[in-house]
Amino acid sequence: MLKGSHRLGRIEHGRYGDQTGADPERTGQAMRVWELVYGEMNPGDALFFHSNTLHRSDQNKSPHPRWSLLCCYNTKHNNPYKASHHPFYEPLVKVSESAIKEAGLKLFSEGAQFWDPAKDKTVGANAK
């Protein structure tokens, strides 16, 4: 991560090769100013940082899969103005503490489908 880079504000993101990410020209300049900090973590660790912090993840060269959970929060007064892959506001319903144990690994064993940016027309992945 580039320490303090969140102070730059939001940097335009787009498709660069096969990746979606921040503008390489801007990030290259930011790397000249902001300190590069590595966040080496152990299994089960969590890392929280500002949504505008410039960050990346190097290739996982271990034999173990790496999973990420990206949680983004938005005020209910800032609903998307048109349909896209971003959900519209829905009130959260509190469930019992036992709900996680009851759900177990069902989500992954039932053939869950995940969002594929290459198939999503709202992120510009299919733009030529």
Side-chain angles (χ1 to χ4, degrees):
M1 299 189 311
L2 295 181
K3 184 178 180 180
S5 62
H6 65 285
R7 295 185 187 115
L8 293 169
R10 177 88 177 131
I11 292 181
E12 187 64 33
H13 281 57
R15 294 290 290 182
Y16 302 99
D18 292 335
Q19 298 280 329
T20 299
D23 178 355
E25 182 179 350
R26 296 282 311 271
T27 56
Q29 290 300 315
M31 290 177 70
R32 298 171 75 178
V33 175
W34 302 101
E35 176 186 1
L36 178 62
V37 177
Y38 292 92
E40 295 183 19
M41 302 173 66
N42 293 314
D45 285 352
L47 178 64
F48 296 87
F49 53 90
H50 192 283
S51 61
N52 287 340
T53 299
L54 291 173
H55 62 281
R56 70 167 193 233
S57 179
D58 288 334
Q59 180 183 5
N60 179 13
K61 296 180 180 179
S62 81
H64 308 289
R66 175 173 53 199
W67 287 80
S68 296
L69 175 63
L70 304 177
C71 298
C72 303
Y73 298 93
N74 196 14
T75 175
K76 68 180 181 180
H77 304 292
N78 191 24
N79 254 343
Y81 70 95
K82 65 179 182 178
S84 74
H85 65 276
H86 296 288
F88 287 88
Y89 171 75
E90 291 183 29
L92 295 176
V93 178
K94 186 174 180 178
V95 297
S96 69
E97 291 185 18
S98 63
I100 293 175
K101 285 185 177 181
E102 292 167 10
L105 296 176
K106 276 196 302 193
L107 173 66
F108 300 107
S109 64
E110 294 178 358
Q113 293 184 4
F114 295 92
W115 174 64
D116 182 355
K119 295 178 181 175
D120 189 332
K121 295 177 183 170
T122 67
V123 297
N126 296 317
K128 302 216 179 201

